[in-house]
Amino acid sequence: MIVKLKQANSDYPDLTAGQTYCVIGIEAGDYRVLNDRGLPYLFPASLFMLIDANEPTDWVSDVGTDGERYAYPPLLNEPGFFEDFFDGVQSSVATFWQVVNQRLSRAA
């Protein structure tokens, strides 16, 4: 899934207008992408236009009680995964980069 930032937004200085980003996952309808600093943050989907809406077939997808959507690759779909990643838990950091590198190599 590939998206492009529609326009610069001062609330999100770590994204570049017109830049394409590979969506790593969807959380409560927001897109998780690698920002310009290489960190996997969540951003509102409304900031982006879809370039390629095809999601990887192995994503685990779910809908929350309020209709919000969640979708991630299986290895990134564990509760607390991104909290562990940002806390520097080595196993989560290594798993994240393994999954992302595989995804990005396929997207290229």
Side-chain angles (χ1 to χ4, degrees), residues 24 32-35 38-43 82 85-86 96-97:
I24 298 165
R32 188 173 297 273
V33 303
L34 290 178
N35 67 12
L39 295 171
Y41 285 117
L42 288 169
F43 297 97
F82 283 97
F85 173 86
F86 283 107
F96 173 79
W97 287 113

Side-chain angles (χ1 to χ4, degrees), residues 14-80:
D14 52 350
L15 297 174
T16 301
Q19 176 68 37
T20 58
Y21 297 91
C22 183
V23 177
I24 298 165
I26 299 170
E27 192 166 320
D30 292 339
Y31 295 151
R32 188 173 297 273
V33 303
L34 290 178
N35 67 12
D36 294 346
R37 297 181 190 152
L39 295 171
Y41 285 117
L42 288 169
F43 297 97
S46 61
L47 296 174
F48 303 94
M49 75 173 138
L50 280 171
I51 300 299
D52 180 354
N54 293 315
E55 295 179 14
T57 57
D58 68 336
W59 275 11
V60 177
S61 186
D62 197 12
V63 177
T65 56
D66 293 328
E68 71 279 16
R69 183 149 182 266
Y70 298 86
Y72 275 107
L75 292 174
L76 307 184
N77 197 41
E78 297 297 321

